[in-house]
Amino acid sequence: MNRVSGNDFFADFSALTDLKARAQKDPDAALKDVAQEFEAIFIDMLFKNMRSANDEISSGLFDSNQFKQYQEMMDTQLAQSLAKSGGIGLADALIRQYGGEGKQSVPSADNHSTLLSNLAPIPADTLRAVARRASQEFARQVSEASQQMASITETPTTAAPKAEEVAFASPEEFIDTLWPLAQKTAQRIGVDPKAILAQAALETGWGKYPIAKEDGTASFNLFGIKADSRWQGDRAVVNTLEYRDGIAKKERAAFRAYDSFAHSFDDYANFLSTSERYKNALNSRGDATTFAANLQRGGYATDPNYADKIGNILASKWFRTLL
């Protein structure tokens, strides 16, 4: 009995293309393969007719369209494997009928009847062995196809950067990188972009000390916004310095985590715009000092010198060149 090879998968259309090319180049040499393909089609038709007859009297758990689709695929694979393993003798009969020089005429209806009546029955052991191998081959090929599809459709994921990888080496780098984002955010909420950037510089030490998540990856949180009950996204839990009754104390707090600096600026704008506490800050008419003072009055930070520290950054040499 011939072994079922990995190239006998029923959905291998490249094999059919090769067969057509060989049949055109050397019909006699390709006769056996063509006869086996014909036998596989014939056996598959027998299976489909048997399934169809059974459908009229059966119903139950396995009557879904998905189950029937895989059942038909399995039947086609089994037919292919049977034909390659000796089948029902149809391929051999066709080879005898059309063999030699390949010049025999198309047989008549009587010859068709004789051809089919001479088909050999398939021993039960042979059928079970072929069916077992066909099912194994079918399962393997479907698994490989599924893995290939997954590798094609799967979106590659990029590992989140570490906090130190997004830290800025100098105030110049900090300003050059984030100034366009500050300007865009300022236009959105109607405040001085320098005030926004100065606040980010205060919260992160000019970007040298970004808030990191517990696994060390960057949170991209530039404005020290905490992750309260309104926040449903990722968070970074770190030690922080808070002022209680004028006394600085170390506390453990959760801060919002973002996937980029741009996301941090966007959330900052939303955070201020959706809170009544910062209404006066947003009505500062573009005055950076007034904006910072009203942020502190609104309770943005517990540091009693928060507004003054923003003012000192605004007066630094790195902000003098900004328009």
Short mmCIF file of all heavy atoms in Angstrom, two decimals, residues 96-159:
data_model
loop_
_atom_site.label_atom_id
_atom_site.label_comp_id
_atom_site.label_asym_id
_atom_site.label_seq_id
_atom_site.Cartn_x
_atom_site.Cartn_y
_atom_site.Cartn_z
N ARG A 96 -5.67 1.18 -17.69
CA ARG A 96 -5.79 0.10 -18.69
C ARG A 96 -6.61 0.55 -19.88
O ARG A 96 -6.32 0.20 -21.02
CB ARG A 96 -6.44 -1.13 -18.04
CG ARG A 96 -5.55 -1.84 -17.02
CD ARG A 96 -6.12 -3.22 -16.68
NE ARG A 96 -7.46 -3.12 -16.09
CZ ARG A 96 -7.69 -2.99 -14.78
NH1 ARG A 96 -6.67 -2.95 -13.92
NH2 ARG A 96 -8.92 -2.92 -14.32
N GLN A 97 -7.65 1.34 -19.62
CA GLN A 97 -8.55 1.77 -20.69
C GLN A 97 -7.85 2.75 -21.63
O GLN A 97 -8.00 2.67 -22.86
CB GLN A 97 -9.78 2.46 -20.09
CG GLN A 97 -10.82 2.91 -21.11
CD GLN A 97 -11.59 1.74 -21.68
OE1 GLN A 97 -11.80 0.74 -21.00
NE2 GLN A 97 -12.00 1.84 -22.94
N TYR A 98 -7.05 3.70 -21.03
CA TYR A 98 -6.45 4.75 -21.85
C TYR A 98 -4.93 4.58 -22.01
O TYR A 98 -4.26 5.47 -22.52
CB TYR A 98 -6.70 6.12 -21.21
CG TYR A 98 -8.16 6.50 -21.18
CD1 TYR A 98 -8.92 6.31 -20.03
CD2 TYR A 98 -8.76 7.03 -22.32
CE1 TYR A 98 -10.25 6.65 -20.00
CE2 TYR A 98 -10.11 7.37 -22.30
CZ TYR A 98 -10.85 7.18 -21.14
OH TYR A 98 -12.17 7.52 -21.11
N GLY A 99 -4.37 3.46 -21.55
CA GLY A 99 -2.93 3.28 -21.56
C GLY A 99 -2.34 3.11 -22.94
O GLY A 99 -2.97 3.36 -23.96
N GLY A 100 -1.11 2.65 -22.96
CA GLY A 100 -0.45 2.49 -24.25
C GLY A 100 0.01 3.83 -24.77
O GLY A 100 0.69 4.59 -24.10
N GLU A 101 -0.42 4.13 -25.98
CA GLU A 101 -0.01 5.37 -26.62
C GLU A 101 -0.94 6.52 -26.27
O GLU A 101 -0.76 7.63 -26.75
CB GLU A 101 0.01 5.19 -28.15
CG GLU A 101 0.98 4.13 -28.61
CD GLU A 101 2.40 4.47 -28.21
OE1 GLU A 101 2.75 5.68 -28.24
OE2 GLU A 101 3.17 3.55 -27.86
N GLY A 102 -1.95 6.23 -25.47
CA GLY A 102 -2.86 7.30 -25.08
C GLY A 102 -3.75 7.76 -26.21
O GLY A 102 -4.22 8.88 -26.23
N LYS A 103 -3.99 6.86 -27.22
CA LYS A 103 -4.77 7.28 -28.38
C LYS A 103 -6.15 6.65 -28.41
O LYS A 103 -6.88 6.76 -29.39
CB LYS A 103 -4.03 6.91 -29.67
CG LYS A 103 -2.68 7.62 -29.79
CD LYS A 103 -1.99 7.22 -31.05
CE LYS A 103 -0.64 7.91 -31.19
NZ LYS A 103 0.08 7.53 -32.42
N GLN A 104 -6.53 5.93 -27.32
CA GLN A 104 -7.83 5.26 -27.33
C GLN A 104 -8.93 6.31 -27.36
O GLN A 104 -8.82 7.38 -26.80
CB GLN A 104 -7.98 4.37 -26.10
CG GLN A 104 -7.29 3.04 -26.23
CD GLN A 104 -5.79 3.16 -26.07
OE1 GLN A 104 -5.29 4.24 -25.86
NE2 GLN A 104 -5.08 2.04 -26.22
N SER A 105 -10.01 5.92 -28.00
CA SER A 105 -11.16 6.83 -28.09
C SER A 105 -11.91 6.82 -26.78
O SER A 105 -11.75 5.93 -25.95
CB SER A 105 -12.08 6.37 -29.24
OG SER A 105 -12.53 5.05 -28.98
N VAL A 106 -12.77 7.81 -26.62
CA VAL A 106 -13.58 7.90 -25.42
C VAL A 106 -14.54 6.73 -25.38
O VAL A 106 -15.23 6.45 -26.37
CB VAL A 106 -14.37 9.23 -25.41
CG1 VAL A 106 -15.30 9.30 -24.21
CG2 VAL A 106 -13.41 10.41 -25.42
N PRO A 107 -14.63 6.00 -24.28
CA PRO A 107 -15.47 4.80 -24.22
C PRO A 107 -16.94 5.15 -24.28
O PRO A 107 -17.35 6.23 -23.90
CB PRO A 107 -15.08 4.17 -22.89
CG PRO A 107 -14.56 5.30 -22.06
CD PRO A 107 -13.89 6.21 -23.02
N SER A 108 -17.70 4.18 -24.73
CA SER A 108 -19.15 4.36 -24.82
C SER A 108 -19.78 4.15 -23.45
O SER A 108 -19.12 3.80 -22.49
CB SER A 108 -19.73 3.35 -25.82
OG SER A 108 -19.52 2.04 -25.32
N ALA A 109 -21.12 4.32 -23.41
CA ALA A 109 -21.84 4.12 -22.15
C ALA A 109 -21.71 2.68 -21.67
O ALA A 109 -21.59 2.42 -20.47
CB ALA A 109 -23.32 4.50 -22.34
N ASP A 110 -21.70 1.73 -22.62
CA ASP A 110 -21.55 0.33 -22.22
C ASP A 110 -20.18 0.08 -21.60
O ASP A 110 -20.03 -0.65 -20.63
CB ASP A 110 -21.73 -0.59 -23.45
CG ASP A 110 -23.17 -0.60 -23.93
OD1 ASP A 110 -24.06 -0.26 -23.11
OD2 ASP A 110 -23.39 -0.93 -25.10
N ASN A 111 -19.17 0.70 -22.20
CA ASN A 111 -17.83 0.54 -21.65
C ASN A 111 -17.73 1.14 -20.25
O ASN A 111 -17.01 0.63 -19.40
CB ASN A 111 -16.80 1.19 -22.57
CG ASN A 111 -16.58 0.40 -23.84
OD1 ASN A 111 -16.83 -0.81 -23.86
ND2 ASN A 111 -16.13 1.06 -24.89
N HIS A 112 -18.44 2.27 -20.02
CA HIS A 112 -18.47 2.88 -18.68
C HIS A 112 -19.05 1.90 -17.67
O HIS A 112 -18.53 1.75 -16.56
CB HIS A 112 -19.32 4.17 -18.68
CG HIS A 112 -18.56 5.35 -19.19
ND1 HIS A 112 -17.40 5.81 -18.62
CD2 HIS A 112 -18.83 6.19 -20.24
CE1 HIS A 112 -16.97 6.88 -19.27
NE2 HIS A 112 -17.83 7.13 -20.26
N SER A 113 -20.14 1.21 -18.05
CA SER A 113 -20.77 0.24 -17.14
C SER A 113 -19.81 -0.89 -16.83
O SER A 113 -19.71 -1.34 -15.68
CB SER A 113 -22.06 -0.31 -17.76
OG SER A 113 -22.97 0.75 -18.01
N THR A 114 -19.12 -1.38 -17.87
CA THR A 114 -18.15 -2.45 -17.65
C THR A 114 -17.02 -1.98 -16.74
O THR A 114 -16.56 -2.71 -15.87
CB THR A 114 -17.58 -2.91 -19.00
OG1 THR A 114 -18.64 -3.34 -19.83
CG2 THR A 114 -16.58 -4.04 -18.81
N LEU A 115 -16.58 -0.74 -16.96
CA LEU A 115 -15.49 -0.18 -16.18
C LEU A 115 -15.85 -0.13 -14.70
O LEU A 115 -15.10 -0.57 -13.83
CB LEU A 115 -15.16 1.22 -16.69
CG LEU A 115 -14.03 1.98 -16.00
CD1 LEU A 115 -12.70 1.28 -16.28
CD2 LEU A 115 -13.98 3.42 -16.50
N LEU A 116 -17.05 0.36 -14.39
CA LEU A 116 -17.47 0.49 -13.00
C LEU A 116 -17.77 -0.85 -12.35
O LEU A 116 -17.55 -1.05 -11.16
CB LEU A 116 -18.72 1.39 -12.92
CG LEU A 116 -18.49 2.86 -13.34
CD1 LEU A 116 -19.81 3.62 -13.26
CD2 LEU A 116 -17.44 3.52 -12.47
N SER A 117 -18.27 -1.82 -13.15
CA SER A 117 -18.60 -3.13 -12.58
C SER A 117 -17.36 -3.91 -12.19
O SER A 117 -17.44 -4.84 -11.37
CB SER A 117 -19.43 -3.94 -13.58
OG SER A 117 -18.66 -4.22 -14.74
N ASN A 118 -16.22 -3.55 -12.75
CA ASN A 118 -14.97 -4.26 -12.45
C ASN A 118 -14.18 -3.63 -11.30
O ASN A 118 -13.05 -4.05 -11.03
CB ASN A 118 -14.08 -4.32 -13.70
CG ASN A 118 -14.66 -5.22 -14.77
OD1 ASN A 118 -15.34 -6.20 -14.45
ND2 ASN A 118 -14.40 -4.89 -16.03
N LEU A 119 -14.76 -2.61 -10.65
CA LEU A 119 -14.05 -1.95 -9.56
C LEU A 119 -13.91 -2.90 -8.38
O LEU A 119 -14.83 -3.65 -8.04
CB LEU A 119 -14.79 -0.68 -9.12
CG LEU A 119 -14.91 0.41 -10.20
CD1 LEU A 119 -15.63 1.61 -9.62
CD2 LEU A 119 -13.55 0.80 -10.74
N ALA A 120 -12.75 -2.86 -7.74
CA ALA A 120 -12.48 -3.78 -6.62
C ALA A 120 -13.00 -3.20 -5.32
O ALA A 120 -12.90 -2.00 -5.09
CB ALA A 120 -10.97 -4.01 -6.51
N PRO A 121 -13.58 -4.06 -4.47
CA PRO A 121 -14.00 -3.59 -3.14
C PRO A 121 -12.79 -3.28 -2.28
O PRO A 121 -11.72 -3.85 -2.47
CB PRO A 121 -14.79 -4.77 -2.59
CG PRO A 121 -14.21 -5.96 -3.29
CD PRO A 121 -13.85 -5.49 -4.67
N ILE A 122 -12.95 -2.35 -1.33
CA ILE A 122 -11.84 -1.96 -0.45
C ILE A 122 -11.94 -2.75 0.84
O ILE A 122 -12.96 -2.69 1.54
CB ILE A 122 -11.90 -0.45 -0.14
CG1 ILE A 122 -11.91 0.37 -1.43
CG2 ILE A 122 -10.72 -0.03 0.73
CD1 ILE A 122 -12.06 1.85 -1.20
N PRO A 123 -10.91 -3.48 1.22
CA PRO A 123 -10.92 -4.21 2.49
C PRO A 123 -11.12 -3.25 3.67
O PRO A 123 -10.62 -2.12 3.65
CB PRO A 123 -9.55 -4.89 2.54
CG PRO A 123 -9.10 -4.94 1.11
CD PRO A 123 -9.67 -3.73 0.46
N ALA A 124 -11.83 -3.71 4.71
CA ALA A 124 -12.13 -2.85 5.85
C ALA A 124 -10.87 -2.36 6.55
O ALA A 124 -10.76 -1.20 6.95
CB ALA A 124 -13.03 -3.60 6.84
N ASP A 125 -9.88 -3.26 6.70
CA ASP A 125 -8.64 -2.85 7.36
C ASP A 125 -7.92 -1.77 6.58
O ASP A 125 -7.37 -0.81 7.15
CB ASP A 125 -7.71 -4.06 7.53
CG ASP A 125 -8.24 -5.07 8.54
OD1 ASP A 125 -9.13 -4.66 9.34
OD2 ASP A 125 -7.79 -6.23 8.53
N THR A 126 -7.92 -1.91 5.27
CA THR A 126 -7.29 -0.91 4.42
C THR A 126 -8.00 0.44 4.55
O THR A 126 -7.37 1.49 4.67
CB THR A 126 -7.31 -1.36 2.96
OG1 THR A 126 -6.60 -2.58 2.83
CG2 THR A 126 -6.68 -0.30 2.05
N LEU A 127 -9.33 0.39 4.53
CA LEU A 127 -10.11 1.62 4.64
C LEU A 127 -9.85 2.32 5.96
O LEU A 127 -9.67 3.54 6.02
CB LEU A 127 -11.60 1.30 4.48
CG LEU A 127 -12.55 2.50 4.54
CD1 LEU A 127 -12.22 3.50 3.44
CD2 LEU A 127 -14.01 2.03 4.41
N ARG A 128 -9.80 1.53 7.06
CA ARG A 128 -9.56 2.14 8.37
C ARG A 128 -8.16 2.76 8.44
O ARG A 128 -7.98 3.85 8.98
CB ARG A 128 -9.74 1.09 9.46
CG ARG A 128 -11.19 0.78 9.79
CD ARG A 128 -11.30 0.00 11.09
NE ARG A 128 -10.72 -1.34 10.97
CZ ARG A 128 -11.43 -2.42 10.63
NH1 ARG A 128 -12.73 -2.30 10.38
NH2 ARG A 128 -10.86 -3.60 10.54
N ALA A 129 -7.18 2.06 7.89
CA ALA A 129 -5.81 2.57 7.93
C ALA A 129 -5.68 3.85 7.12
O ALA A 129 -5.06 4.83 7.56
CB ALA A 129 -4.84 1.51 7.41
N VAL A 130 -6.27 3.84 5.94
CA VAL A 130 -6.20 5.04 5.10
C VAL A 130 -6.96 6.20 5.73
O VAL A 130 -6.51 7.35 5.71
CB VAL A 130 -6.75 4.74 3.69
CG1 VAL A 130 -6.85 6.03 2.87
CG2 VAL A 130 -5.86 3.73 2.97
N ALA A 131 -8.11 5.89 6.31
CA ALA A 131 -8.90 6.94 6.96
C ALA A 131 -8.14 7.55 8.12
O ALA A 131 -8.18 8.77 8.34
CB ALA A 131 -10.24 6.37 7.43
N ARG A 132 -7.44 6.70 8.87
CA ARG A 132 -6.67 7.20 10.01
C ARG A 132 -5.55 8.12 9.54
O ARG A 132 -5.33 9.19 10.08
CB ARG A 132 -6.11 6.03 10.82
CG ARG A 132 -5.33 6.47 12.06
CD ARG A 132 -5.00 5.29 12.98
NE ARG A 132 -4.21 4.27 12.29
CZ ARG A 132 -4.68 3.10 11.90
NH1 ARG A 132 -5.96 2.78 12.13
NH2 ARG A 132 -3.90 2.22 11.29
N ARG A 133 -4.82 7.69 8.52
CA ARG A 133 -3.74 8.52 8.01
C ARG A 133 -4.26 9.81 7.39
O ARG A 133 -3.67 10.88 7.51
CB ARG A 133 -2.90 7.74 7.00
CG ARG A 133 -2.04 6.65 7.61
CD ARG A 133 -0.90 6.28 6.68
NE ARG A 133 -1.38 5.85 5.37
CZ ARG A 133 -1.72 4.60 5.07
NH1 ARG A 133 -1.66 3.66 6.00
NH2 ARG A 133 -2.13 4.29 3.87
N ALA A 134 -5.39 9.69 6.70
CA ALA A 134 -5.98 10.88 6.07
C ALA A 134 -6.41 11.90 7.11
O ALA A 134 -6.20 13.11 6.94
CB ALA A 134 -7.17 10.48 5.20
N SER A 135 -6.99 11.42 8.21
CA SER A 135 -7.43 12.35 9.26
C SER A 135 -6.24 13.02 9.93
O SER A 135 -6.27 14.21 10.25
CB SER A 135 -8.27 11.60 10.30
OG SER A 135 -7.51 10.60 10.95
N GLN A 136 -5.15 12.24 10.13
CA GLN A 136 -3.94 12.82 10.72
C GLN A 136 -3.32 13.86 9.80
O GLN A 136 -2.90 14.93 10.25
CB GLN A 136 -2.93 11.71 11.02
CG GLN A 136 -3.36 10.76 12.13
CD GLN A 136 -2.45 9.55 12.26
OE1 GLN A 136 -1.60 9.29 11.40
NE2 GLN A 136 -2.62 8.79 13.34
N GLU A 137 -3.27 13.53 8.51
CA GLU A 137 -2.71 14.48 7.56
C GLU A 137 -3.57 15.73 7.45
O GLU A 137 -3.07 16.85 7.38
CB GLU A 137 -2.60 13.80 6.18
CG GLU A 137 -2.05 14.70 5.07
CD GLU A 137 -0.61 15.10 5.33
OE1 GLU A 137 0.07 14.44 6.13
OE2 GLU A 137 -0.17 16.11 4.73
N PHE A 138 -4.88 15.54 7.46
CA PHE A 138 -5.81 16.66 7.39
C PHE A 138 -5.63 17.58 8.60
O PHE A 138 -5.55 18.81 8.47
CB PHE A 138 -7.25 16.14 7.34
CG PHE A 138 -8.29 17.21 7.33
CD1 PHE A 138 -8.52 17.98 6.20
CD2 PHE A 138 -9.06 17.47 8.46
CE1 PHE A 138 -9.49 18.97 6.19
CE2 PHE A 138 -10.02 18.45 8.46
CZ PHE A 138 -10.24 19.20 7.32
N ALA A 139 -5.55 16.99 9.79
CA ALA A 139 -5.38 17.78 11.01
C ALA A 139 -4.06 18.54 10.99
O ALA A 139 -3.98 19.71 11.38
CB ALA A 139 -5.45 16.87 12.23
N ARG A 140 -3.00 17.88 10.50
CA ARG A 140 -1.69 18.54 10.45
C ARG A 140 -1.70 19.71 9.47
O ARG A 140 -1.21 20.80 9.79
CB ARG A 140 -0.61 17.53 10.03
CG ARG A 140 0.80 18.09 10.06
CD ARG A 140 1.81 17.05 9.59
NE ARG A 140 1.67 16.77 8.18
CZ ARG A 140 2.17 17.55 7.21
NH1 ARG A 140 2.83 18.65 7.53
NH2 ARG A 140 2.03 17.21 5.95
N GLN A 141 -2.27 19.49 8.31
CA GLN A 141 -2.28 20.55 7.30
C GLN A 141 -3.15 21.72 7.74
O GLN A 141 -2.79 22.88 7.53
CB GLN A 141 -2.80 19.99 5.96
CG GLN A 141 -1.90 18.95 5.31
CD GLN A 141 -0.71 19.59 4.61
OE1 GLN A 141 -0.56 20.80 4.61
NE2 GLN A 141 0.14 18.75 4.02
N VAL A 142 -4.30 21.45 8.36
CA VAL A 142 -5.16 22.53 8.85
C VAL A 142 -4.45 23.32 9.93
O VAL A 142 -4.52 24.55 9.99
CB VAL A 142 -6.50 21.96 9.37
CG1 VAL A 142 -7.29 23.03 10.11
CG2 VAL A 142 -7.33 21.44 8.20
N SER A 143 -3.74 22.62 10.82
CA SER A 143 -3.00 23.29 11.89
C SER A 143 -1.92 24.20 11.32
O SER A 143 -1.75 25.34 11.75
CB SER A 143 -2.38 22.25 12.83
OG SER A 143 -1.59 22.87 13.82
N GLU A 144 -1.18 23.70 10.32
CA GLU A 144 -0.13 24.50 9.71
C GLU A 144 -0.72 25.71 9.00
O GLU A 144 -0.17 26.82 9.07
CB GLU A 144 0.67 23.66 8.72
CG GLU A 144 1.55 22.61 9.38
CD GLU A 144 2.30 21.77 8.36
OE1 GLU A 144 2.07 21.98 7.15
OE2 GLU A 144 3.10 20.90 8.78
N ALA A 145 -1.85 25.52 8.32
CA ALA A 145 -2.49 26.64 7.63
C ALA A 145 -2.97 27.70 8.62
O ALA A 145 -2.85 28.90 8.38
CB ALA A 145 -3.66 26.14 6.78
N SER A 146 -3.51 27.25 9.76
CA SER A 146 -3.98 28.18 10.78
C SER A 146 -2.82 28.98 11.36
O SER A 146 -2.94 30.19 11.59
CB SER A 146 -4.69 27.42 11.91
OG SER A 146 -5.81 26.72 11.42
N GLN A 147 -1.68 28.32 11.59
CA GLN A 147 -0.51 29.02 12.11
C GLN A 147 0.01 30.03 11.11
O GLN A 147 0.42 31.13 11.49
CB GLN A 147 0.58 28.00 12.46
CG GLN A 147 0.23 27.12 13.65
CD GLN A 147 1.27 26.04 13.88
OE1 GLN A 147 2.27 25.96 13.19
NE2 GLN A 147 1.04 25.20 14.88
N GLN A 148 0.01 29.68 9.83
CA GLN A 148 0.46 30.62 8.81
C GLN A 148 -0.46 31.83 8.73
O GLN A 148 0.01 32.96 8.61
CB GLN A 148 0.52 29.91 7.45
CG GLN A 148 1.63 28.87 7.36
CD GLN A 148 1.59 28.11 6.04
OE1 GLN A 148 0.72 28.34 5.21
NE2 GLN A 148 2.54 27.20 5.86
N MET A 149 -1.76 31.61 8.81
CA MET A 149 -2.71 32.72 8.78
C MET A 149 -2.52 33.61 9.98
O MET A 149 -2.58 34.84 9.90
CB MET A 149 -4.15 32.19 8.73
CG MET A 149 -4.54 31.60 7.40
SD MET A 149 -4.46 32.81 6.05
CE MET A 149 -5.73 33.95 6.59
N ALA A 150 -2.28 33.00 11.15
CA ALA A 150 -2.09 33.78 12.36
C ALA A 150 -0.84 34.64 12.26
O ALA A 150 -0.83 35.79 12.68
CB ALA A 150 -1.99 32.85 13.57
N SER A 151 0.22 34.09 11.67
CA SER A 151 1.46 34.86 11.55
C SER A 151 1.31 36.00 10.56
O SER A 151 1.97 37.03 10.68
CB SER A 151 2.60 33.94 11.09
OG SER A 151 2.35 33.44 9.79
N ILE A 152 0.41 35.85 9.59
CA ILE A 152 0.18 36.90 8.60
C ILE A 152 -0.67 38.02 9.17
O ILE A 152 -0.41 39.21 8.98
CB ILE A 152 -0.48 36.33 7.33
CG1 ILE A 152 0.49 35.39 6.62
CG2 ILE A 152 -0.91 37.44 6.38
CD1 ILE A 152 -0.13 34.63 5.47
N THR A 153 -1.74 37.65 9.89
CA THR A 153 -2.71 38.63 10.37
C THR A 153 -2.34 39.21 11.72
O THR A 153 -2.88 40.23 12.12
CB THR A 153 -4.10 37.98 10.48
OG1 THR A 153 -4.04 36.85 11.38
CG2 THR A 153 -4.58 37.50 9.13
N GLU A 154 -1.43 38.55 12.42
CA GLU A 154 -1.09 39.01 13.76
C GLU A 154 -0.29 40.30 13.68
O GLU A 154 0.68 40.42 12.94
CB GLU A 154 -0.27 37.93 14.46
CG GLU A 154 -0.17 38.12 15.96
CD GLU A 154 0.57 36.94 16.60
OE1 GLU A 154 1.78 36.81 16.36
OE2 GLU A 154 -0.08 36.15 17.31
N THR A 155 -0.71 41.30 14.45
CA THR A 155 -0.01 42.58 14.47
C THR A 155 1.17 42.48 15.42
O THR A 155 1.00 42.16 16.59
CB THR A 155 -0.94 43.70 14.95
OG1 THR A 155 -2.07 43.75 14.08
CG2 THR A 155 -0.22 45.04 14.95
N PRO A 156 2.37 42.75 14.91
CA PRO A 156 3.52 42.67 15.80
C PRO A 156 3.45 43.72 16.90
O PRO A 156 3.09 44.86 16.66
CB PRO A 156 4.70 42.93 14.87
CG PRO A 156 4.13 43.65 13.70
CD PRO A 156 2.72 43.15 13.55
N THR A 157 3.78 43.32 18.10
CA THR A 157 3.73 44.24 19.23
C THR A 157 5.14 44.71 19.57
O THR A 157 6.10 43.96 19.51
CB THR A 157 3.13 43.54 20.46
OG1 THR A 157 3.91 42.36 20.76
CG2 THR A 157 1.69 43.12 20.20
N THR A 158 5.25 45.99 19.92
CA THR A 158 6.52 46.57 20.29
C THR A 158 6.59 46.68 21.80
O THR A 158 5.67 47.18 22.45
CB THR A 158 6.67 47.96 19.65
OG1 THR A 158 6.52 47.84 18.23
CG2 THR A 158 8.02 48.57 19.97
N ALA A 159 7.68 46.22 22.37
CA ALA A 159 7.84 46.27 23.82
C ALA A 159 7.86 47.71 24.30
O ALA A 159 8.44 48.59 23.67
CB ALA A 159 9.13 45.55 24.22
#
